[in-house]
Amino acid sequence: MIETVSVPLEGREYDVRIGQGLLARAGAEIAPLLKRPRVAIVSDENVAALHLSALEQGLEAAGISHVSMTLPAGESTKSWPHFERTVEWLLEQKVERNDIVIAFGGGVIGDLVGFAASVLRRGVRFVQIPTSLLAQVDSSVGGKTGINAPQGKNLIGAFHQPSLVLADIDVLGTLIERDYLAGYGEVVKYGLLGDADFFDWLEQNAKRAAGGDIDARIHAVRRSVEMKAEIVLRDETEQGDRALLNLGHTFCHALEAATGYSDRLLHGEGVAIGCALAFELSARLGLCSQEDPSRVRAHLQDMGMKRNLSDIPGDLPGAEALLDLMGQDKKVLDGKLRFILARGIGQAFVTSDVPADAVLSVLRDG
Ligand code: GLY
């Protein structure tokens, strides 16, 4: 069964297709978008080794020819040198204004290739085929593209919506558990930020999904994408509500910086810890009951995930230094830290009105 979530942005409508066998169907799904039967695929070494031939066969089945390049796997690929290499390769392949570029990989590939597509010949269309859980539920949808700068993550980029997203649930079967669970950090975020019923469902079913149950995986991805699409429709360029998607991220970005963007802490793991800290902060500010952060932590523990600062291996800087790192986050507006806090599970809101002392106390105890 293949499910469809539509993102009806005026003039740039697209579908997110979610289900099994989408690599094999990729040619049939993409063909209606093409002016000529040829695509350029950009992937990473890990994804290409596992899945590129399946995608190529899927394209060939619909008579679509293809060229492909692979980049090194990992966050350091989201940088100027790899961006330059990608854009130049696409030009060498004579990708034209009406052609389609395929971003085939996790969040790094989706962000970098989407950004390359946004500037190539002043903008060509691209299709996202996300292969990590994180990319399927978050980064492939909504049009944020970009690369990292020495000054911080995702500081260079553009809003450029994909023309189609193909989230093949089968591909998740090749993820190692740690990567799956890191992606799950973004799934749980959706329940926490706006859908208490979904969080209830996750408490009951997320372990089944993590264990490989396809129906549970499809439901988790579909509900996450629906929520993301609703928020992006309300606020595509993050003037307001889209910031809700950053629940847990202000803490997370400071923790990622403090751990040197290394595999001591994966992004989704930082999001999960950040969500627990955001609920703790909300409870200490009297916005929600103390039961809420306890429930968040209990669920993360049940899933075998990191939930406290002390779960991060190695030393961390002190609370003041972490607060300082939060100040570097691009969510700073007029010099004030923007936090996503919550009045309860599923009731997040954006605020700049957070006393530094309260944040410090959470970081000291977290
Ligand atoms: N990942 C957050 C957003 O797309 O806005």
Side-chain angles (χ1 to χ4, degrees):
M1 185 183 44
I2 293 177
E3 308 218 9
T4 302
V5 177
S6 297
V7 187
L9 286 164
E10 217 184 318
R12 289 159 301 134
E13 302 80 3
Y14 59 96
D15 286 341
V16 183
R17 308 270 283 150
I18 301 157
Q20 293 188 273
L22 279 163
L23 294 188
R25 282 192 49 76
E29 298 282 347
I30 293 169
L33 302 172
L34 298 177
K35 300 275 196 287
R36 59 173 177 160
R38 182 177 189 269
V39 294
I41 306 165
V42 183
S43 187
D44 76 32
E45 284 159 357
N46 294 346
V47 170
L50 289 166
H51 302 298
L52 184 59
S53 65
L55 174 60
E56 288 175 339
Q57 281 169 32
L59 294 166
E60 284 158 19
I64 299 170
S65 67
H66 45 82
V67 287
S68 63
M69 85 176 288
T70 53
L71 295 167
E75 188 72 27
S76 57
T77 293
K78 256 176 76 168
S79 59
W80 281 122
H82 292 290
F83 175 74
E84 184 180 6
R85 207 177 127 206
T86 305
V87 170
E88 289 186 355
W89 178 79
L90 291 168
L91 290 172
E92 280 158 19
Q93 299 308 315
K94 303 197 172 19
V95 172
E96 294 177 4
R97 194 74 188 277
N98 285 324
D99 287 336
I100 293 269
V101 175
I102 297 180
F104 185 40
V108 167
I109 289 294
D111 285 6
L112 179 139
V113 177
F115 184 37
S118 80
V119 297
L120 191 78
R121 300 187 192 279
R122 298 202 176 86
V124 301
R125 294 168 303 151
F126 78 116
V127 169
Q128 290 266 23
I129 306 189
T131 56
S132 66
L133 180 59
L134 185 142
Q136 292 195 351
V137 299
D138 186 44
S139 57
S140 68
V141 180
K144 277 191 183 174
T145 72
I147 56 174
N148 300 329
Q151 290 81 357
K153 280 184 74 171
N154 297 326
L155 293 180
I156 304 158
F159 286 99
H160 186 52
Q161 298 291 340
S163 297
L164 176 69
V165 182
L166 300 177
D168 188 332
I169 296 297
D170 291 332
V171 171
L172 302 179
T174 57
L175 294 178
I176 60 167
E177 188 186 26
R178 186 175 180 199
D179 286 336
Y180 179 92
L181 289 177
Y184 181 72
E186 297 279 2
V187 175
V188 81
K189 174 192 82 174
Y190 288 105
L192 294 175
L193 77 86
D195 187 348
D197 289 345
F198 184 44
F199 185 73
D200 289 348
W201 184 89
L202 290 171
E203 286 181 319
Q204 303 303 320
N205 297 285
K207 271 185 138 166
R208 199 159 57 82
D213 185 285
I214 294 291
D215 289 342
R217 285 185 173 187
I218 290 176
H219 181 79
V221 173
R222 183 178 56 75
R223 184 63 196 130
S224 300
V225 169
E226 274 172 1
M227 291 187 69
K228 176 137 194 191
E230 281 164 21
I231 291 172
V232 168
L233 271 185
R234 289 207 298 273
D235 177 24
E236 183 183 1
T237 56
E238 201 169 313
Q239 306 303 311
D241 272 7
R242 186 164 178 162
L244 292 172
L245 296 170
N246 297 322
L247 176 62
H249 283 62
T250 305
F251 286 109
C252 169
H253 287 162
L255 295 173
E256 284 183 290
T259 50
Y261 303 98
S262 68
D263 69 359
R264 278 174 67 196
L265 184 74
L266 303 179
H267 175 72
E269 294 173 335
V271 170
I273 295 173
C275 285
L277 294 177
F279 270 80
E280 184 61 43
L281 179 57
S282 303
R284 288 191 190 189
L285 292 171
L287 293 163
C288 67
S289 81
Q290 186 55 52
E291 279 161 26
D292 290 331
S294 303
R295 198 174 152 199
V296 175
R297 285 198 167 101
H299 178 55
L300 297 176
Q301 180 170 16
D302 199 35
M303 295 300 292
M305 293 170 69
K306 295 183 175 69
R307 58 210 172 274
N308 300 310
L309 296 182
S310 56
D311 295 329
I312 301 171
D315 291 335
L316 284 178
E320 279 81 6
L322 287 174
L323 184 64
D324 208 42
L325 286 170
M326 289 181 180
Q328 312 288 325
D329 193 276
K330 71 181 182 311
K331 274 97 202 160
V332 174
L333 211 58
D334 300 329
K336 284 188 177 159
L337 269 181
R338 257 192 314 167
F339 269 95
I340 317 304
L341 297 179
R343 297 194 176 86
I345 305 263
Q347 298 174 60
F349 65 99
V350 186
T351 178
S352 300
D353 190 18
V354 182
D357 281 355
V359 182
L360 284 170
S361 85
V362 167
L363 289 169
R364 280 191 197 108
D365 302 344

